Each structure stands twice: as structure tokens, then as C-alpha cells.
């Protein structure tokens, strides 16, 4: 029987095909049969992400264009995915393949943090120029020296370990030219730097410390209630403009405050997210919406997380449209492992309730440690997706569980590179997940801190970097569709979103397939 | 039925266990059953390299010592496997875990190149001080500026693109202090540098160019017949002293020459290897021996490789004790793919002969290119092992073929790092192979050029780096045994070698388990 016939018959049964092909191969005579070889190559292609996509003639033409552009990109000496993103960014942004990926309807971004949606320049040039904005310098030297902000109608009360508060308006007036000050604020809000990133951030410890600092700098700005609302609206706009139509936001739902010092609780935050989302989708009917994954820091103790889970259940009851689930954030290597929180995480089921989990797990390159069990534990707690899952490929059992149950991995390539899990993005472990058609979505984690566009830079790294010459337009199509399929949306909503996406996709394909 | 009972029953059937465990897990009630969790963790441990090793009480005690030392090593801020080996070397060499790994009987080294066995200092301080040694400077600037050597009883005839030959003895006498000259020769013979390696070697292209240059510098020294013999003897000594008992050498079998300019052919080289090996094993009865894998450069054209394969068949007939098989060497990314040589490689079978292949394949991080097919093609040509196989984990079909057929991957961690395939050795793809118990051996590729010890540095990186806290004494034991099991030795020889190794191992364990 012709091997190609077998393949066509068994296209939906890759495992069976593997067995058959392996048997054929072991009977090799003089030269390996080129047909067998071809069949094996085609089979490996069929197994990968996007390998089962049926493409129209138009899509194939666009696919050819993508492959030609990628070939050009791969033949450059300064190949961007092999470089640190901070050095590669201008090359990426100037590449024709980036323009196409920018225009491409990418579906949803499922792994993005609340206070990293908008480029930090907006915070500085817009937010810090608003009235009543105060700044202070933290004490400490070198990397520890940082900034804090607060909005206040009167002189705010002093902050421990910080200089006296200065009204920014007055400070800028005194300086005449505020450019240096603004640049210095910008530098404190993001990891992005023009200097050599490997010198500035020589280790994971250093880069994580600086990373967590940037959130503290932004804190006083973004938790001011009017800014909170504006920031989120701006954030939705950034994703929308980058051709992302849906968002799932990891949100800390912090205490927000007004000028007079009065504060709002989590329900207010949630209601604000809901209102702004409704308003935004009303104004932009081709944007499908956004949902919120409530997150707390994994440095918390067990009882604090129990309280947070209870809060999450209340929010879910009160905001079913917007509230998607629960997660723990912060650096895994120095935080508490999921198993430490097992009682808190079991609480919903004990009460007969369902709280979907979207756990960060395996954002580490240590192996065999307690933290390295997070992936398995995330799956044991029935996580809906795995955030990062960088270590998943080193856990064959967990990988199998994740695949069988359709638990998608949220792959954030640039974040993993900047936080020093991987240097050359061709070697990102998602290359292995791609090769097996493992359920994956691409996301951007922290655009503001990483200096990335909403989603296109990460799509570039995935497609041109670890996608290699093997990934193609079918891969891109599947990644976009995955972002809806593996979202927290209901079946009906997914169908609706998919229809909306398909319309955009068809338009994109017809406009670009020449 | 208790899950642990199932596990014990099915310990030899990991796939069945996976299915059973996955079913159990999906029936989770409130909290994941800690017993299930434990069983899954144990099962993942059992799947990994060394996970099935049954350990004596003494081995377990030594294992505890190893784990304690590794824990210490992992808690340092300057964690060596996360650093470039050139910067990490002094840390590694001073670590107590290195001393243990050095003393440990490691079995065989199956992937080592002929002219990289001995530290380059020996070439300079011993070989270039011999009489009749001439040196010239190549023309060219910067990285292209290099050295060439020749031994000759009279003034050698000029070399194109090189300065006139200087007799080293005279040159050194003229200079008085030869230290600077010697240091500069050393620097030309190795990639190792005290400078920042990422600055000196910013890209794969640059490091490969310099790498191939170092072989040209050594060429005139090591192909001088008396040096050829001495070099190999010294090489065996280096491996023996590093507690390696067997070697498979990738050898170019070059034209060797005498002082008067007369030359020897490949058969002479082979006979020399055979004689020196016999002599060495006679002097060191606890060294098992060495075999040769004849290699040619993949830059050759098809007809040259056909000639080489014919030569390989002749050598195999004439030196069955020493000749192990055939391979192609040189950088895969810029060389010809295996499929280009398909007719030459099919020649032995066409003639009803068997020529074992030990192909370099997948020493690349490009994907979906012609070169990236080398892994599959190596398997289609029934390769006995895969050299490097860095890209194997991205090829699910090839990985399955390699595992099913017991085609071991020769993992050379430091080589892959220095040649810029991977920066942080915790992320070496062999971590994935380890996690699945894929057949692997650890080797050192090019100790002289990389500045490594014969094998212990690479064992350190494998064990402490991508082995993580999960790898243990069972892993080390299996790696050592694998190096015999996957060698080219006959079944009887393997049994003999294994008995010899076991004796050494028992002694090592009893001397170090306290």
C-alpha cells in the first residue's frame, strides 16, 4: 500500500501513522525510499501547530508571501530572535513581516497584567502632568533608588523611606526643561533600556528585583481612581490598535483612591473594568470584549490567600460577565509553591462552587525543586490554562495531562527572554510544543515593562524565532483561533467571537495575498 | 485499587501507567489526593534517566552526599551552569562536586575529535619546543590573522598566503623571553579566553570561523608522524586520568608526514591508533580501549565522499578491532546535508556490506531548513548514534524513532554552549531527553578547543545544570553504563567492559559513601 494513501486515510490519527511509518522505515534496503522520507517529513509537519489547517488558495498565496519574507529575515546576519529583544526591537519593527503580523487579526491576548498594558511614556507625558501629582525619591543606593507617586488635593503625608513629597508641577517649573526628569521617570517605570541589557541585568535576581520595582513606581499613579479608569481604556485601545479583539487581564484589583484620600474596594475596580469594557465595545463593535482574572501575590501566606479566594467567589457571583477566575502572581522561584496554598485552592469545590484557575506555573529553569512541581499541581487543581509553562517540556506526565485535557500553555516569548529564562528565542521550549501541536496561545505578559507592542512583537518572535521555517500561515491561523478556543468565554460566546474574527481574517487575507 | 500498587505492577509500562494515572486524576474531588500527587511525582521520577536504577544502601548514601553538594551549588548566586563555561571553569573546578565527578568512573567518551584530546599547552610547551619546528603568520587582518606550523629537516617551501617560515628555536633564542610568544600560540590554538566570551564571539558565525581556524593552526603539528603518535598517547592518558576507561574517536585520518617530507596514508594512521591503543591498554589494564570513527568534512562533494566511504570499507576490513564506523564533520548549518550524500551513504548496503554510521545531526537551532532534516536522515540511514542531536526534541517522529531503536544521543553540553546553541545550560534540550529516559550519553567533543577536562566538566554541567535537582546518583550510574551499552563494542566486549567498570564503580562508591 502506498504510504501517502495510508497517510491520507490516517491523517486524523497521528499516533497510528507514527507506528506504521516506523515499521516501514525499519525495512530499509539500500537507499531510504524517498517516498517514505517525504511521508515522514509530511507527517511531522502535520503534527505541528497549524499542521491540520485547511487553507484556501488565497491563504496559500499569503502564506507564500509570509515564507518568502521569513526566508529573507532568516538570512540576515543580525537575526532578531537570536538577539535580546531590546537590541532587536528596531530591527523587528522595521521588518516587512512585522507590518503583516501587526495587521493580522490575532484574536485574543490571554496573558496580560493590569498595570502593564500601556507604554510608560503615556504615564509620564499624560498622567504625571495632571494636577496634584506628587513624587518622592526612595532612600537607598544604586538599584534600590527608585520613585513613588501619589495624587493628593493637599500635601500628602510622608512616606517611610522616601524623601519629602514634591509637587511635580512645581518641580518641573523650577527646572525649566523637564526632559531629563521625564526620561528618568520613564527609566524607572520600565525594564527597557538602550544600554546593553545583559550588563544592566546580569542575572535573574537582578532583573526580577528591578521588574518588581517598576510596578511599585507605577502604583501610586495607576491606583488613583480616575487614572485607573483611563489607564484601562488606553490599554484596551493599544490592544485594539494592534489588531487584538479580546483580552483576559490578570488584575490585582488594588485599593484605588481619590484626591481626598477616600478609597474604593475591589468591587469598584471590577465594576470600573466592566463599565469601561462595555463602553469600549460599544464604541468599537469589532472588539469582542475583555474579562478579568483576579490575582494575588504568591508571597502571601495561606490565610491571606484563603480570604482572596473567598473574595474571588464573591466577585464571580457579582460580576459573572467580567470575572473569569483566579491566579497567583510574582516570581515563582522566590514565591510560595501552589501546593502550599492547597487548602485555600480547594475551598471553592468544598463549597460546591466552581472557580476557574489560570495558574502561572513553570516560569522557571530550576528542575526537581518544590517550585518545579507547580506545573503538576496547577493541573491537579484543574487549571484552565498554564501561564508560561516554560518548564512543561521537562515534565512528560504533566505535558501529557495538559495535552489530553486541552489545557493551553500561555507562551510569552519576550517576557521569558527579558526575565532571562532563555537567550536565543529559537530555543524557546515552545518550539517543542509547536512541533507536537500542543495547545498553546501567544501572549505578551507585560508590554509596558518589556517595551513591546500589545501583541505583535511576541507574534514575531514566535513565528520567526521558535516557529522557524516550519511554522506557516496555518500556524498563525491556529494560534489566533486558539486564543478564542482556550479563552474563558462560554461556547456560545466563543462561536460569536470566532465569527467576528473570521470576518476580520478573511478581509486581512484578501487584502494581503498578492 | 491503590495507585501505588498499580504503579508497582506497571513499573515497566510507563505508557499504561500514564493512562491510568490520568484517569484517576480527572476524578478529583475537593483537594487533589496527596497520594495521587505523590504517585505522579514518583512516576515522573521513574521515567527519567536513571529512574529505574536499583541502588544499594552504600550508593544511596553517596547519592545523599551528591544531592547535598548539589543543593549547595544551586544556592550560590554565581551558579556555574547559568554562566558561560569560560567564566565558570574556575568555579566548577573548585567545587567539591567536581572532585567527586572527576573521581567517578564515567565509562566511555563516545564523541571526541582526534585533534582536540590534549590541552593546547602541551602542544606549545612540548611539541613546538621540539627541533625542526617552523612557524609562519598567515596574511589577513583581525580574526583572519593566524599561524601555521611545520616540522622539516631543511627550510620548508613557502606556504601561500603566509609569511616566510621561521625556525621556532631561533625565534625564541632571539626573543630571550618566549612567554608572550607561547601565550599567543596558545591563544591561536583554542577558543578558551579570559576575556568576555560573548564579546570575543558575538555570533555563531564568528565562533565557528575561529573554531575551524584553531584546527588549521594545530594541523602542521599534529600531522607530523612522531607527534601524531605522541599526541594520541597523551590523549588517552588525559581521558584515563579523568577516569574514563574507553574512547570512540572521530578521526580525520589525515596524511601524516616525516621530517624529510615523506608521507603516510590513512592505513598508517589507523595502524598507529591501533598500536598505541594496544600499548596503552597493556600498560593500563583497567583502561578498556579505544576505537576510531573515520570522519570526513561535510563541505566535500558527493564523489569525494563516495571515495571516502570506499576507503572506510577497506579500513573496516583491515582494522576490524579499531575501526568503528563513519561520520561527516564540520558545521551543519553551512555544510552539505546528509541527503545530498545519499548515494555515497547507500554504497555499503548496495555491496552487501555493513558500515556503521555515527552521524552528527541536529547541531543547529534552525528549524524547517534542509539542514534540520539531518536528524531524520541520520535515522533513515540507520545511524548507530546521533552526534549532538540538539534539535531532536523538536522532531517528535525522529525522537520516537531514536528512542524505539535505542539510537543514543551524544550530548556535549559545553560544546553546544561555546558554539552558541544555548546560553544557560539548565535549558539544554537534553533536560527533556533526561526527563523521558531517552537513550543518551555525555561527551566532551573538543576538550582542547573548549578548555575542558577530558569528560568531568561536561558531566558537571549535565548533572548540576540540565540534570537539576531531579538527577541523582542513579542518573550518573546510568549515564556511565549507557556509554558502554551504546558503544560500538560487541556484546561480549560490552559485558567485559561493564564488569571492569562495575569493579571501579563499587570501589568509588565504597570510598566515597560517608
Amino acid at each position: 500500500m502506498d504510504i501517502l494513501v495510508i497517510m491520507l486515510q490516517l491523517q486524523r490519527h497521528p499516533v497510528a501513522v507514527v507506528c506504521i511509518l516506523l515499521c516501514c522505515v525499519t525495512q530499509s534496503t539500500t537507499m531510504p525510499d524517498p517516498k517514505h522520507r517525504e511521508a515522514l517529513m509530511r507527517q511531522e509537519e502535520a503534527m505541528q501547530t497549524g499542521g491540520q489547517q485547511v487553507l484556501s488558495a488565497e491563504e496559500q498565496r499569503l502564506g507564500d508571501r509570509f515564507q518568502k519574507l521569513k526566508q529573507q529575515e532568516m538570512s540576515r546576519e543580525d537575526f532578531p530572535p537570536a538577539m535580546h529583544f531590546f537590541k532587536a526591537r528596531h530591527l523587528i519593527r522595521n521588518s516587512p513581516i512585522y507590518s503583516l503580523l501587526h495587521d493580522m487579526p490575532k484574536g485574543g491576548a490571554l496573558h496580560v497584567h493590569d498595570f502593564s498594558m500601556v507604554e510608560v511614556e503615556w504615564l509620564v507625558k499624560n498622567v504625571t502632568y495632571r494636577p496634584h501629582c506628587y513624587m518622592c525619591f526612595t532612600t537607598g543606593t544604586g538599584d534600590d533608588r527608585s520613585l513613588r507617586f501619589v495624587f493628593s488635593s493637599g500635601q500628602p503625608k510622608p512616606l517611610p523611606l522616601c524623601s519629602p513629597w514634591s509637587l511635580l508641577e512645581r518641580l518641573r517649573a523650577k527646572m525649566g526643561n523637564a526632559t531629563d526628569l521625564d526620561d528618568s521617570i520613564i527609566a524607572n517605570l520600565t525594564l527597557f533600556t538602550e544600554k546593553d541589557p545583559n550588563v544592566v541585568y546580569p542575572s535573574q535576581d537582578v532583573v526580577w528585583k528591578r521588574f518588581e520595582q517598576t510596578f511599585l513606581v507605577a502604583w501610586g499613579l495607576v491606583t488613583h481612581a480616575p487614572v485607573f479608569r483611563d489607564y484601562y481604556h488606553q490599554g484596551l485601545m493599544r490592544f485594539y490598535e494592534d489588531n487584538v479583539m479580546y483580552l483576559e487581564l490578570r488584575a490585582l484589583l488594588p485599593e484605588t483612591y481619590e484626591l481626598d484620600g477616600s478609597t474604593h474596594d475591589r468591587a469598584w475596580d471590577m465594576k470600573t473594568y466592566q463599565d469601561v469594557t462595555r463602553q469600549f465595545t460599544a464604541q468599537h463593535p469589532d472588539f469582542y470584549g475583555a474579562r478579568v482574572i483576579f490575582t494575588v501575590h504568591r508571597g502571601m501566606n495561606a490565610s491571606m490567600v484563603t480570604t482572596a479566594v473567598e473574595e474571588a467567589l464573591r466577585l464571580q457571583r457579582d460580576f459573572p460577565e467580567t470575572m473569569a477566575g483566579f491566579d497567583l502572581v510574582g516570581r515563582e522561584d522566590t514565591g510560595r509553591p501552589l501546593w502550599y496554598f492547597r487548602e485555600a485552592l480547594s475551598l471553592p469545590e468544598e463549597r460546591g462552587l466552581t472557580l476557574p484557575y489560570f495558574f502561572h506555573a513553570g516560569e522557571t529553569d530550576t528542575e526537581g525543586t518544590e517550585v518545579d512541581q507547580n506545573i503538576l499541581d496547577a493541573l491537579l487543581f484543574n487549571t484552565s490554562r498554564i501561564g508560561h509553562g516554560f518548564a512543561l517540556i521537562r515534565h512528560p506526565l504533566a505535558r501529557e495531562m495538559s495535552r489530553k485535557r486541552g489545557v493551553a500553555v500561555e507562551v510569552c516569548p519576550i517576557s521569558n527572554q527579558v526575565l532571562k529564562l532563555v537567550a536565543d528565542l529559537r530555543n524557546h521550549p515552545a518550539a517543542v510544543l509547536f512541533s507536537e501541536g500542543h495547545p498553546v496561545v501567544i501572549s505578551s505578559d507585560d508590554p509596558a515593562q518589556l517595551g513591546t507592542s500589545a501583541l505583535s512583537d511576541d507574534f514575531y518572535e514566535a513565528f520567526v524565532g521558535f516557529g522557524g521555517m516550519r511554522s506557516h500561515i496555518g500556524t498563525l491561523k491556529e494560534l489566533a483561533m486558539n486564543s478564542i478556543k482556550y479563552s474563558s468565554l462560554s461556547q456560545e460566546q466563543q462561536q460569536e467571537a470566532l465569527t467576528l474574527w473570521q470576518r476580520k481574517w478573511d478581509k486581512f487575507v484578501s487584502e494581503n495575498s498578492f
Side-chain angles (χ1 to χ4, degrees), chain A:
Chain A
M1 178 151 58
D2 190 300
I3 192 70
L4 289 168
V5 176
I6 300 178
M7 276 193 55
L8 285 171
Q9 290 176 349
L10 294 179
Q11 200 157 33
R12 302 267 150 200
H13 306 279
V15 176
V17 173
V18 172
C19 298
I20 289 173
L21 291 176
L22 293 180
C23 300
C24 299
V25 166
T26 50
Q27 300 161 2
S28 74
T29 56
T30 51
M31 194 189 297
D33 181 350
K35 267 200 217 157
H36 278 176
R37 178 177 185 264
E38 191 64 22
L40 285 165
M41 285 163 63
R42 290 295 86 80
Q43 182 55 20
E44 250 189 16
E45 281 171 23
M47 289 167 83
Q48 73 175 357
T49 303
Q52 302 285 337
Q53 290 292 330
V54 181
L55 301 171
S56 70
E58 226 175 13
E59 284 173 330
Q60 282 174 28
R61 272 205 305 284
L62 176 56
D64 291 346
R65 207 178 139 206
F66 263 120
Q67 292 317 95
K68 237 175 264 157
L69 291 175
K70 183 143 63 170
Q71 193 82 63
Q72 281 169 25
E73 204 74 356
M74 289 182 88
S75 62
R76 355 180 359 164
E77 256 194 46
D78 48 357
F79 182 57
M83 301 160 66
H84 193 289
F85 174 70
F86 294 172
K87 291 184 177 173
R89 188 171 74 170
H90 71 284
L91 302 172
I92 293 173
R93 299 283 175 88
N94 288 322
S95 71
I97 208 163
Y98 178 83
S99 309
L100 266 182
L101 290 171
H102 166 78
D103 293 349
M104 188 181 87
K106 289 173 279 294
L110 303 187
H111 187 122
V112 179
H113 290 274
D114 43 2
F115 299 133
S116 198
M117 299 173 77
V118 186
E119 71 287 350
V120 295
E121 287 75 8
W122 183 82
L123 275 187
V124 178
K125 297 296 183 188
N126 179 310
V127 174
T128 71
Y129 275 83
R130 298 185 185 190
H132 311 296
C133 185
Y134 288 82
M135 183 174 86
C136 71
F137 299 89
T138 64
T139 54
T141 51
D143 281 354
D144 286 335
R145 196 148 172 79
S146 180
L147 305 172
R148 297 292 181 268
F149 294 90
V150 73
F151 283 92
S152 178
S153 47
Q155 178 70 21
K157 61 173 189 224
L159 208 64
L161 302 175
C162 219
S163 70
W165 289 107
S166 308
L167 188 66
L168 263 175
E169 206 176 332
R170 208 172 297 149
L171 197 65
R172 286 200 177 102
K174 224 175 4 190
M175 299 179 76
N177 181 347
T179 313
D180 286 352
L181 178 65
D182 288 358
D183 287 350
S184 137
I185 301 176
I186 287 172
N188 274 280
L189 281 164
T190 182
L191 291 174
F192 190 86
T193 171
E194 300 286 348
K195 297 182 200 152
D196 184 342
N198 290 318
V199 173
V200 181
Y201 310 119
S203 68
Q204 289 182 11
D205 285 340
V206 172
V207 73
W208 266 96
K209 197 172 167 187
R210 273 275 300 156
F211 184 49
E212 301 209 318
Q213 270 289 349
T214 60
F215 284 96
L216 297 178
V217 179
W219 197 255
L221 299 173
V222 294
T223 57
H224 181 38
V227 177
F228 183 84
R229 171 183 287 273
D230 290 359
Y231 187 89
Y232 180 59
H233 183 272
Q234 288 288 326
L236 291 182
M237 189 55 89
R238 295 300 177 283
F239 281 83
Y240 178 69
E241 286 169 348
D242 201 26
N243 294 299
V244 175
M245 54 174 270
Y246 174 70
L247 193 69
E248 292 194 358
L249 195 69
R250 255 72 171 187
L252 291 161
L253 305 178
E255 186 177 79
T256 41
Y257 69 99
E258 299 289 348
L259 266 190
D260 62 3
S262 62
T263 58
H264 303 295
D265 63 4
R266 287 188 173 128
W268 184 93
D269 297 347
M270 200 56 141
K271 178 143 190 345
T272 304
Y273 281 137
Q274 186 160 293
D275 291 348
V276 175
T277 306
R278 283 182 185 166
Q279 183 196 343
F280 193 91
T281 48
Q283 288 162 347
H284 308 90
D286 60 331
F287 186 79
Y288 190 75
R291 302 193 79 207
V292 165
I293 296 163
F294 171 38
T295 60
V296 294
H297 199 277
R298 62 191 333 119
M300 282 187 173
N301 66 28
S303 76
M304 289 158 88
V305 171
T306 302
T307 309
V309 168
E310 283 170 337
E311 176 90 21
L313 289 168
R314 272 194 298 277
L315 291 167
Q316 196 181 25
R317 183 195 61 201
D318 299 341
F319 301 92
E321 171 188 333
T322 302
M323 172 76 176
F326 182 77
D327 185 16
L328 291 148
V329 299
R331 188 178 177 194
E332 281 182 69
D333 281 326
T334 51
R336 294 193 159 108
L338 287 178
W339 191 244
Y340 166 82
F341 298 113
R342 59 191 176 280
E343 302 210 352
L345 301 177
S346 309
L347 196 141
E349 275 203 48
E350 265 169 30
R351 302 200 183 160
L353 299 167
T354 306
L355 176 66
Y357 291 135
F358 298 86
F359 288 128
H360 278 72
E363 189 184 7
T364 182
D365 47 22
T366 63
E367 269 176 87
T369 58
E370 222 186 354
V371 163
D372 190 32
Q373 291 304 332
N374 277 348
I375 284 191
L376 186 61
D377 288 331
L379 289 160
L380 291 180
F381 279 105
N382 288 313
T383 195
S384 299
R385 295 192 301 266
I386 295 171
H388 293 295
F390 188 87
L392 181 66
I393 61 167
R394 301 196 280 248
H395 289 276
L397 263 188
R399 182 162 54 166
E400 191 59 19
M401 286 164 75
S402 155
R403 169 209 280 282
K404 284 222 169 120
R405 298 202 205 154
V407 175
V409 180
E410 301 162 352
V411 175
C412 305
I414 296 171
S415 167
N416 297 155
Q417 187 191 49
V418 173
L419 295 176
K420 298 186 87 74
L421 284 174
V422 56
D424 185 331
L425 281 173
R426 288 174 295 187
N427 293 326
H428 193 286
V432 178
L433 301 178
F434 268 24
S435 76
E436 299 176 343
H438 195 100
V440 283
V441 295
I442 303 297
S443 202
S444 49
D445 207 6
D446 296 285
Q449 270 76 9
L450 304 168
T452 66
S453 49
L455 191 54
S456 296
D457 286 320
D458 283 282
F459 255 77
Y460 173 94
E461 300 283 17
F463 186 56
V464 181
F466 56 80
M469 281 315 295
R470 282 205 302 202
S471 69
H472 48 67
I473 192 164
T475 320
L476 293 171
K477 193 177 172 184
E478 186 153 313
L479 287 172
M481 291 165 80
N482 278 355
S483 71
I484 295 165
K485 178 175 169 187
Y486 296 112
S487 73
S488 68
L489 295 169
S490 69
Q491 285 300 317
E492 298 73 39
Q493 289 173 317
Q494 287 193 12
Q495 210 38 63
E496 214 175 46
L498 213 55
T499 308
L500 187 58
W501 171 82
Q502 185 76 53
R503 218 157 41 227
K504 287 165 172 283
W505 175 263
D506 291 344
K507 184 161 173 287
F508 166 73
V509 170
S510 88
E511 282 173 1
N512 288 287
S513 58
F514 47 80

